[in-house]
Amino acid sequence: MQTAPQTTDELYEALRENDRRPYGRTRTVTAEELAEAAELFGEPVPLIHALLELQEAYTYGSEPRKSPVVFARLLNLFDEQPSVFDDRLRHQLFWRFKWVANALRSLPEVPLASLRQWQTEMRDRYEKAGLELQPYYGQAYQLAAHVGEDTALAYELWAGRTRSRLSDCEACETCERALYHLAAGDDERALRAWEPVLAGKESCQEEPARSVSYALLPLVRAGRTDEVRRLHLAGYRGCRRNPSMAGEIGRHLEFCALTGNEARGLELLAENRTLFDEVDSPLSLLDLLTGVEVLLARVEALGHGELPTAGFPGRSWTVASLRAEVRRRADDLAARFDARNGTTAHTDRRRTRLDRTPLLESLELTLRPRTLADVAPATAPAAPEPAEALPESPAELIKRARELDEQGHPDAHACWARLRTLTTDPDYVHPDDPEAGPPARLRADLLEEEATLAERKDAHADSAALYEEAAGLYEDAELAGHAVIARASAVLAGAQAVPPWAEAEDAERAVPEGAGAEGADPQARTAAQVAVFSEAHEELVRLHEQAPGIAPYLQARLLRLRVSAHGLRLQASGDSEHVAPVLAEVELLFDFATRHGLTGQIAAARLLRATTHAMAGDLPTALAEADGLVEVLRTDGPAWHLPRALSLRGKIQLGLGDAEAAYASLSEGVRLAVEWPAESVDTPTLHGELAQACMGLGRTDEALRHLTRSAELELRAGARFDAFCTYSNAAQLSLDLGRIDDCIALLDSLLLEPDVVDGELDDRLVAQLRLTRARALRTGDDLKAATAEFVALSAESAGWDDDPGSHAMIAAETAILLGEAGEFTKAREVVDQALAAHARDPRYEQVSNALRELARLRAQQHGPEGLTDARAFLDDAGRVADAARTVGFKAHGRSLDTALAYEHGRINAYAGAYDEALAALDKALGLLGEPGEDPHLAAEWAECVRLAGVVEGVYLERTAPALARIEAAADRLTSLGHSEEAEPLTGLAERLRDGE
């Protein structure tokens, strides 16, 4: 709290603002400050409100020791001045007797006699106030269940009584009944009792999240895996990072441990690491720690006890060391509760949970299923596995590597990887063998292999430097042909290296004023790239001409580099004049490779030919070439080219709109890809393309699986930016498909990745992930969390000087959410920021939509009093529409002018300005024009007519013209085949006639 409230009005406003905050230290500290401020006014009612807020903060912030102290002050105020407690305050006071009972029960240092004494106090107070005793018996049952004695009798005394106004909500009582049956071992009856809560028919602040956490294991035992998956995702989100729901989080961890989701369990544990320090309730902490121990014990049993994990603050933890510490603390807590209660109930319950065995070997919970191997600390990538065992002797290994490399065989990578390991050993002795050659040659070979791998990761500058170094060593070894190939490879890699100006092409502010045209002009950049690749090709031709007599396989490589240079030029320019030179070079390669029987280069030439036709837009010719290549590779090989050829054919088939054929090609490519080292096949791309084919066939679930598989493979390959982009696409697809829980769970997992948390990943990509998550939260009706995320994103994007359009879009969405929450002052500030950013980089539709929606919300929530502000929003929207019209902007669907006229009609109707409303709606109808065959236009036209009819016929009481308008419109729609759109108009006409 920045400044203390100076008036009671300011105090109440501050209390309302604090009430909107999530429970936790910030809310609690503010509540404490407001309670101190309230005492200074010397008035009982403001103090009562402040103390109620403070007790709520302590209760739901998991600080049970402080809650009874605050309540004691409230009770004293009630005893001293009962008249200042109106019905609402009195109701809250008596309701919170239960909060105190729960708080005292959670503290093992409070004697059992004191717990019973408080229950007696509650009963006496209720009887004196003439209140029903069902809530008292509910507390008596909960104490009996806690202690583990006389639960059956206490349950009957409570459950058989009629509910009262002060009874716990139906959802909470449902949970207590279900837990009674669960404790008796009756899963079926417990699940039947839980049905209304799990189905979302009953809810409260803690429900259904609390019930879900208990129902997870019974649901698994009942075989209801689809339901349990959905409930886990939604239920966990309802309690994550919440200190007052630490026990629920512990049960989610236990559920993960017992369903083969240990890796997700560790991820959730890391997300909730602050709870180790924040949970002040011993009972909640015991519940949490027991769930944590179940998880850690399972991970350790699977042989991963040395995995690092999140734990108590102040030191680093492994699974094994944290498990030992958790066991010590949890055993102590259970013993303290049992000593207080005089039973062994808590130790017994804890032992029951720890003794459970896994219920399922595997249950896929999220779009990102991971194993414990996936969450292990990153290590150097394993060397590729060759199809045949590698020779033991260095001399034979060198010979094998060069033979395979000459063929272009993927297993060469495994040989070079093994040789790199051998040569880094201080005891390595180079073989004295003529076929092995001098050490300089082997060093050159390994540098060339390293350059090849760097190039595949788009590290072109590094690759060029490595190739140059290799070329020098080849020259030292008097291998002129190899030196030429290395220098030629360096030329092409250098041409692809990102020039300094291109690094800033997405950030205009990074281009210094007066920099070359290539720094700001896309056409100039393209021309520069074309020139670079043209020069590279000329240099390659020169190198080729200066290297007569080199081995045919090396000449074929030179020819292939020449094809690539022209191909890159075509890719950069998109100019049809650059197609023929590429095809000419392809034919040179194909003819040369055919004369010399170089099967790998023959296949490469045909692959390049098909690719060139596809780039030129001649998809039928490209497909014919790809079909022929696939058949040749199936019969004659080399087989390692087949996955790549199938990938190309699948892409071409997608381009031709044949999703079924593309699916077949790409599926085969994915199956064959596993037979070859990852370095030789772009398996992530195959999965990504297969996802597109699945979407074309309506197989959305399969598409999501392939997208996430693609992303995970990219992560394993170290391509983290690409992986997160793919995951972003998967999240957006799941949101589009209405799989809200899947979308949020996936994004939550990604946003916990270390490089995201540490700020190492591209900030705009992270912002996109957060934006998608915020939209998913909004779609899932978690408006409070969505608004908080949007506000944070809007504040961050305000600093994107290089991308004001994105800030305009984010700020526009944020303003709408603030308007929905009734915070119009903040909404006005944020939408003004959107307008300012829009002035620099227009986003006509998004900003106009936001302004119109804010106008509607203001008028709807405040009626005539909000009309002035609503019209101000629409005035801004009018200026946006004017500017859009001037530049010829076309909106999706109805025009901005039409939408604006309709909104003028609607807000005037909300505010009771019916004549103005009708005039605006007539204007909107004129702008829409007559409905045609387009169902969307017909629906908009019908809605505009309907609202005009309501205004005219109901509010202005001009029934006859309203009926004429509505009936004519209904007939018009029906004659055009829009009977569904006509139904609301027909119904309105009937109601108007009945009103006559």
Side-chain angles (χ1 to χ4, degrees):
M1 188 172 64
Q2 294 181 343
T3 57
Q6 301 301 307
T7 65
T8 55
D9 286 343
E10 289 182 4
L11 173 70
Y12 288 132
E13 178 56 36
L15 288 170
R16 284 191 293 270
E17 184 176 347
N18 201 40
D19 186 57
R20 290 192 287 268
R21 291 191 175 98
Y23 295 109
R25 287 305 304 158
T26 300
R27 177 167 177 169
T28 300
V29 169
T30 303
E32 290 170 340
E33 293 172 347
L34 291 174
E36 291 177 5
E39 290 195 72
L40 300 178
F41 293 113
E43 300 178 31
V45 175
L47 179 59
I48 291 168
H49 282 282
L51 291 175
L52 288 170
E53 164 61 23
L54 180 57
Q55 189 192 12
E56 182 176 343
Y58 285 145
T59 298
Y60 290 105
S62 192
E63 296 190 57
R65 290 178 174 84
K66 298 179 180 179
S67 173
V69 177
V70 178
F71 187 74
R73 295 186 64 190
L74 284 164
L75 205 54
N76 284 336
L77 284 168
F78 178 74
D79 290 340
E80 294 168 0
Q81 304 179 65
S83 61
V84 303
F85 283 76
D86 59 19
D87 289 344
R88 179 176 171 275
L89 293 177
R90 184 173 178 274
H91 178 85
Q92 287 202 54
L93 180 81
F94 280 95
W95 181 277
R96 295 183 182 206
F97 274 89
K98 297 179 291 181
W99 286 10
V100 175
N102 291 332
L104 297 175
R105 196 164 58 244
S106 70
L107 302 171
E109 64 267 28
V110 177
L112 185 60
S114 297
L115 299 183
R116 300 196 190 285
Q117 182 180 350
W118 179 254
Q119 289 197 340
T120 301
E121 174 78 6
M122 178 180 175
R123 177 171 185 149
D124 291 347
R125 291 270 187 171
Y126 270 51
E127 286 180 333
K128 183 179 179 181
L131 300 171
E132 298 291 332
L133 292 181
Q134 194 262 10
Y136 157 77
Y137 283 104
Q139 288 301 309
Y141 162 66
Q142 289 183 39
L143 178 58
H146 171 81
V147 172
E149 286 185 343
D150 302 323
T151 54
L153 175 60
Y155 178 80
E156 293 302 326
L157 288 172
W158 162 64
R161 290 179 177 269
T162 303
R163 287 173 46 77
S164 73
R165 287 183 64 246
L166 287 167
S167 296
D168 285 344
C169 75
E170 292 191 29
C172 288
E173 290 202 342
T174 293
C175 184
E176 292 300 333
R177 289 189 177 89
L179 289 176
Y180 175 77
H181 300 309
L182 191 63
D186 193 342
D187 280 5
E188 184 178 354
R189 192 170 180 185
L191 290 174
R192 278 204 310 272
W194 261 318
E195 279 180 7
V197 176
L198 300 183
K201 296 176 182 178
E202 297 174 3
S203 64
C204 69
Q205 180 143 307
E206 295 179 335
E207 294 290 351
R210 180 167 179 257
S211 289
V212 165
S213 73
Y214 283 106
L216 293 172
L217 297 184
L219 285 167
V220 175
R221 290 192 288 262
R224 293 159 63 175
T225 52
D226 287 342
E227 184 178 359
V228 80
R229 176 184 181 278
R230 174 181 60 80
L231 289 171
H232 163 67
L233 295 180
Y236 170 71
R237 195 170 76 249
C239 58
R240 63 195 288 264
R241 301 178 183 174
N242 185 344
S244 70
M245 303 199 82
E248 284 74 8
I249 292 167
R251 285 185 284 278
H252 280 277
L253 299 180
E254 179 180 358
F255 164 74
C256 289
L258 300 180
T259 56
N261 287 281
E262 299 85 4
R264 175 165 171 78
L266 291 177
E267 184 179 277
L268 302 189
L269 176 60
E271 184 178 17
N272 292 280
R273 69 181 72 200
T274 58
L275 297 188
F276 285 117
D277 195 40
E278 290 179 352
V279 177
D280 194 44
S281 164
L283 188 60
S284 293
L285 186 60
L286 172 60
D287 220 359
L288 170 65
L289 293 181
T290 301
V292 171
E293 187 177 352
V294 172
L295 171 66
L296 298 176
R298 178 62 181 157
V299 174
E300 192 171 1
L302 292 172
H304 293 274
E306 295 310 307
L307 272 179
T309 188
F312 297 96
R315 58 162 288 187
S316 298
W317 298 93
T318 64
V319 166
S321 63
L322 181 62
R323 182 194 175 197
E325 180 65 16
V326 164
R327 181 172 58 242
R328 182 187 69 78
R329 297 193 188 203
D331 282 347
D332 176 67
L333 283 170
R336 289 175 62 198
F337 277 111
D338 286 344
R340 190 267 302 274
N341 298 335
T343 65
T344 61
H346 288 275
T347 299
D348 294 343
R349 290 167 190 160
R350 184 170 138 71
R351 178 51 50 199
T352 298
R353 291 176 69 180
L354 292 171
D355 287 346
R356 285 179 180 138
T357 55
L359 300 174
L360 293 173
E361 184 177 336
S362 176
L363 173 63
E364 189 172 305
L365 294 177
T366 71
L367 294 174
R368 196 187 183 199
R370 309 178 82 201
T371 65
L372 289 171
D374 294 321
V375 299
T379 57
E385 289 293 331
E388 299 179 11
L390 298 179
E392 291 294 329
S393 76
E396 289 298 316
L397 187 58
I398 293 170
K399 181 181 177 181
R400 171 75 67 80
R402 289 172 181 161
E403 288 174 350
L404 293 174
D405 193 64
E406 181 176 332
Q407 300 169 29
H409 197 293
D411 282 353
H413 296 298
C415 296
W416 294 127
R418 176 61 180 151
L419 281 166
R420 186 177 295 108
T421 302
L422 288 175
T423 55
T424 54
D425 190 322
D427 297 329
Y428 171 75
V429 177
H430 191 71
D432 184 13
D433 186 322
E435 290 194 57
R441 179 180 179 183
L442 180 56
R443 288 200 301 273
D445 290 338
L446 293 174
L447 281 169
E448 193 171 37
E449 167 71 2
E450 188 178 349
T452 300
L453 297 177
E455 194 165 12
R456 288 177 180 172
K457 294 179 179 178
D458 295 330
H460 298 295
D462 293 341
S463 176
L466 290 165
Y467 278 129
E468 284 288 358
E469 189 177 354
L473 290 172
Y474 280 132
E475 288 173 346
D476 292 344
E478 299 181 352
L479 294 167
H482 288 80
V484 167
I485 292 297
R487 293 209 185 281
S489 299
V491 168
L492 192 59
Q496 295 175 81
V498 179
W501 52 262
E503 293 177 354
E505 68 177 308
D506 292 327
E508 288 184 12
R509 63 186 176 87
V511 181
E513 189 174 347
E518 68 271 20
D521 183 0
Q523 290 184 341
R525 287 201 296 268
T526 298
Q529 288 179 302
V530 167
V532 167
F533 291 130
S534 295
E535 291 169 7
H537 182 267
E538 291 173 5
E539 179 64 13
L540 292 172
V541 171
R542 188 187 67 78
L543 287 169
H544 196 175
E545 291 171 348
Q546 292 177 357
I550 64 175
Y553 82 93
L554 294 175
Q555 286 205 55
R557 288 186 183 179
L558 265 172
L559 287 167
R560 189 167 171 180
L561 289 169
R562 288 166 56 173
V563 176
S564 297
H566 269 340
L568 288 166
R569 182 178 68 173
L570 171 61
Q571 188 175 24
S573 69
D575 190 337
S576 60
E577 292 184 1
H578 291 152
V579 175
V582 183
L583 292 174
E585 290 283 15
V586 168
E587 294 313 311
L588 286 176
L589 172 60
F590 181 77
D591 292 343
F592 183 88
T594 301
R595 286 199 307 274
H596 292 277
L598 303 173
T599 57
Q601 295 292 6
I602 293 171
R606 297 194 65 174
L607 196 66
L608 289 165
R609 185 190 292 152
T611 301
T612 304
H613 285 302
M615 290 171 62
D618 188 358
L619 295 184
T621 301
L623 180 59
E625 185 65 38
D627 284 341
L629 175 59
V630 167
E631 292 309 312
V632 168
L633 292 174
R634 281 184 177 142
T635 55
D636 302 331
W640 61 83
H641 279 294
L642 191 51
R644 192 177 304 167
L646 288 163
S647 173
L648 175 61
R649 184 169 76 169
K651 280 191 283 191
I652 295 168
Q653 289 163 332
L654 279 174
L656 289 167
D658 192 347
E660 193 73 52
Y663 180 86
S665 296
L666 295 166
S667 296
E668 184 182 359
V670 167
R671 288 196 301 273
L672 294 175
V674 299
E675 300 175 8
W676 302 102
E679 290 81 357
S680 63
V681 181
D682 190 357
T683 309
T685 296
L686 268 169
H687 279 284
E689 291 160 351
L690 187 50
Q692 292 182 50
C694 290
M695 288 301 296
L697 296 171
R699 301 176 182 177
T700 53
D701 289 347
E702 190 176 352
L704 276 172
R705 285 199 299 274
H706 285 297
L707 271 180
T708 53
R709 177 61 176 162
S710 174
E712 205 63 34
L713 289 171
E714 287 167 333
L715 272 185
R716 293 178 188 177
R720 297 189 68 81
F721 182 86
D722 293 340
F724 277 91
C725 286
T726 305
Y727 271 130
S728 178
N729 293 337
Q732 184 61 55
L733 176 57
S734 61
L735 176 57
D736 293 342
L737 295 173
R739 295 177 58 171
I740 309 303
D741 292 331
D742 281 324
C743 175
I744 296 172
L746 173 60
L747 291 167
D748 283 344
S749 175
L750 295 173
L751 293 170
L752 287 172
E753 285 288 317
D755 47 356
V756 177
V757 174
D758 296 338
E760 297 170 2
L761 193 68
D762 181 85
D763 63 335
R764 305 302 168 84
L765 178 52
V766 174
Q768 180 58 58
L769 296 174
R770 291 172 57 199
L771 182 61
T772 303
R773 182 178 181 274
R775 288 169 174 163
L777 289 167
R778 183 184 184 189
T779 305
D781 292 330
D782 192 347
L783 299 182
K784 192 171 187 178
T787 303
E789 187 65 276
F790 264 111
V791 168
L793 279 169
S794 181
E796 290 177 25
S797 62
W800 296 353
D801 293 335
D802 58 310
D803 188 11
S806 291
H807 174 57
M809 177 193 69
I810 294 170
E813 290 189 65
T814 304
I816 292 174
L817 275 169
L818 289 168
E820 290 176 352
E823 298 184 36
F824 286 100
T825 301
K826 291 182 179 178
R828 179 74 255 186
E829 293 174 3
V830 174
V831 84
D832 283 343
Q833 294 173 16
L835 283 165
H838 159 80
R840 295 173 56 200
D841 186 6
R843 291 294 187 272
Y844 297 106
E845 197 155 10
Q846 291 93 333
V847 173
S848 174
N849 290 347
L851 289 163
R852 297 195 316 270
E853 182 64 7
L854 286 171
R856 182 191 70 80
L857 290 166
R858 188 71 163 127
Q860 184 182 47
Q861 293 179 21
H862 297 90
E865 294 180 1
L867 184 58
T868 300
D869 287 343
R871 285 175 172 168
F873 285 126
L874 291 186
D875 287 343
D876 286 334
R879 285 185 281 274
V880 171
D882 292 341
R885 195 184 322 107
T886 300
V887 300
F889 174 80
K890 299 294 183 184
H892 297 87
R894 61 182 174 175
S895 71
L896 299 187
D897 289 315
T898 305
L900 182 61
Y902 174 79
E903 210 58 65
H904 270 293
R906 189 154 57 166
I907 68 138
N908 279 301
Y910 282 139
Y914 300 119
D915 286 317
E916 292 91 334
L918 186 59
L921 292 168
D922 282 335
K923 179 180 178 181
L925 285 166
L927 290 169
L928 277 171
E930 286 295 307
E933 296 182 359
D934 184 349
H936 298 292
L937 176 59
E940 290 181 2
W941 189 81
E943 170 56 22
C944 201
V945 172
R946 186 201 66 79
L947 184 54
V950 170
V951 170
E952 189 172 28
V954 177
Y955 296 111
L956 292 175
E957 299 180 353
R958 301 171 189 168
T959 307
L963 274 172
R965 175 200 298 270
I966 295 165
E967 289 171 345
D971 291 343
R972 177 66 174 148
L973 289 169
T974 303
S975 68
L976 291 170
H978 300 303
S979 55
E980 184 176 344
E981 287 78 7
E983 285 180 7
L985 298 180
T986 304
L988 176 58
E990 291 176 358
R991 290 194 296 276
L992 287 174
R993 279 193 292 269
D994 290 343
E996 291 180 336

